[in-house]
Amino acid sequence: MGDVVEKTNSKKLTVKDLIFAGAFAAIYLVAVLGIMMVVGSVPILYLLCPCILGVLLGSIYLLSVTKVRKFGAALIIELLFACISTGFDPIAFSVCVISAVLAEICILIGKYKSKKWYAISYVFFNIGTVANFIRIFFAKDAYIANLQQRAGGAFADEMTKLLSPWWSWIMVIGCAVVGGIIGAFIGSKLIKKHFEKAGIV
């Protein structure tokens, strides 16, 4: 199939598409929660979550968008992720929406058939995983209060120290980008090896 996937006839999401997208979104969210349960209690690993999630979940995202191949597949996953992870905080939620829209634009540029643009879209999509961290740069007091409530004072203090340097936001976003690149590479290989040959995508 080279660098392209077959194009669908209709550009609008059907009920079947919504079911597929919703199912993949649910799988994505369950995987996120599972990973967070393992690494979320250690401050430094929690800070690296954008990279960890990006590496491990690329195949789920790519399988979803290459299966549906219409506008909205990435947006559905990111919106459900935002609803669960951000608590509808306006700053964090906006980061998720923007990353999803950028991912959808990348897929659109590739005309829903370019594997390269699907992979690039995942890098932008994965930036949504930094949404909660971004809050500390715009609403530090609210972010710390939320951390104290959820994870305790010691965890909140350690996270505050890790995110205090001016360059920390570059590191956090960089983790998401690196994780997205690695996850897109791994996901693309897995889909080509297991799902394309089986005719699933």
Side-chain angles (χ1 to χ4, degrees), residues 28-94:
Y28 181 89
L29 290 177
V30 170
V32 168
L33 293 174
I35 293 168
M36 292 302 295
M37 287 178 65
V38 174
V39 305
S41 61
V42 181
I44 187 63
L45 292 180
Y46 181 71
L47 189 62
L48 292 174
C49 271
C51 183
I52 297 170
L53 294 174
V55 171
L56 297 179
L57 303 182
S59 57
I60 298 174
Y61 168 86
L62 289 174
L63 188 57
S64 176
V65 295
T66 55
K67 179 65 176 179
V68 176
R69 297 203 291 270
K70 295 174 186 175
F71 185 91
L75 191 59
I76 289 171
I77 299 176
E78 193 75 86
L79 287 178
L80 289 177
F81 170 78
C83 290
I84 298 297
S85 66
T86 68
F88 295 97
D89 174 83
I91 295 173
F93 200 90
S94 296

Side-chain angles (χ1 to χ4, degrees), residues 2-45:
D3 189 45
V4 301
V5 292
E6 292 182 8
K7 192 174 180 179
T8 54
N9 293 325
S10 174
K11 295 181 180 180
K12 295 182 180 180
L13 286 171
T14 65
V15 173
K16 184 178 180 180
D17 293 328
L18 290 172
I19 292 173
F20 272 122
F24 283 117
I27 294 170
Y28 181 89
L29 290 177
V30 170
V32 168
L33 293 174
I35 293 168
M36 292 302 295
M37 287 178 65
V38 174
V39 305
S41 61
V42 181
I44 187 63
L45 292 180

Side-chain angles (χ1 to χ4, degrees), residues 75-145:
L75 191 59
I76 289 171
I77 299 176
E78 193 75 86
L79 287 178
L80 289 177
F81 170 78
C83 290
I84 298 297
S85 66
T86 68
F88 295 97
D89 174 83
I91 295 173
F93 200 90
S94 296
V95 172
C96 288
V97 171
I98 292 170
S99 68
V101 170
L102 291 174
E104 292 283 5
I105 290 173
C106 289
I107 298 172
L108 180 62
I109 291 173
K111 299 179 180 179
Y112 299 95
K113 60 182 180 179
S114 169
K115 293 182 180 180
K116 178 182 75 174
W117 281 104
Y118 276 122
I120 293 172
S121 78
Y122 180 61
V123 177
F124 285 101
F125 174 89
N126 197 53
I127 292 176
T129 60
V130 310
N132 282 317
F133 298 122
I134 295 296
R135 293 169 58 192
I136 198 171
F137 306 113
F138 297 96
K140 183 176 181 179
D141 292 340
Y143 177 81
I144 294 173

